[in-house]
Amino acid sequence: MRWSVGLEAQGDRQVTHDEIVELADAVAPHGGIASGIGTDRYGAQIVVVAETREQALERGTATFRAAAATAGLPEFPIVRAEAVSEAEDDMAWET
C-alpha cells in the first residue's frame, strides 16, 4: 500500500533557500516536496510503500534522514511525523 508521509525537523538555526532546494532534489525521486525556507524547521512530504502505518513512518523517516544528509542539513530532532494511506486519502475525498 502507498502512504504519504509528512515529517518536520526543528533545530537551532534558520534553514537557507539553497538547503531546501537541495532537500527538494533529494526527495523528488520519492514523489516528495520540501519546505522550510527561512525558518528553524525543514520538512518533506514523501511517498513510501508499506503494509502498516508504523512501517510507513519507519521507511519515511529513514528516507527523510537520508535526504536531509544528502542536502547537507543538520540532523535536527523530528517534531512532526504523520502517515496517510492511499485508501484513507481516497475516503476523505469521498465525503
Side-chain angles (χ1 to χ4, degrees):
M1 175 179 310
R2 290 168 39 108
W3 296 79
S4 176
V5 179
L7 297 125
E8 284 185 10
Q10 185 173 14
D12 59 357
R13 70 165 180 84
Q14 285 195 343
V15 182
T16 68
H17 174 268
D18 290 343
E19 288 172 319
I20 297 303
V21 169
E22 291 293 323
L23 180 60
D25 288 345
V27 298
H30 306 282
I33 58 171
S35 62
I37 297 170
T39 70
D40 64 349
R41 290 180 178 218
Y42 59 85
Q45 193 81 25
I46 58 174
V47 176
V48 300
V49 175
E51 295 297 319
T52 66
R53 183 177 316 279
E54 293 76 23
Q55 190 179 57
L57 287 168
E58 287 175 15
R59 289 181 181 176
T61 299
T63 300
F64 177 68
R65 288 290 191 204
T70 297
L73 286 161
E75 192 172 315
F76 291 162
I78 292 176
V79 295
R80 182 183 70 83
E82 61 186 22
V84 178
S85 72
E86 223 172 24
E88 291 168 335
D89 193 42
D90 288 346
M91 287 175 44
W93 283 101
E94 291 175 7
T95 58

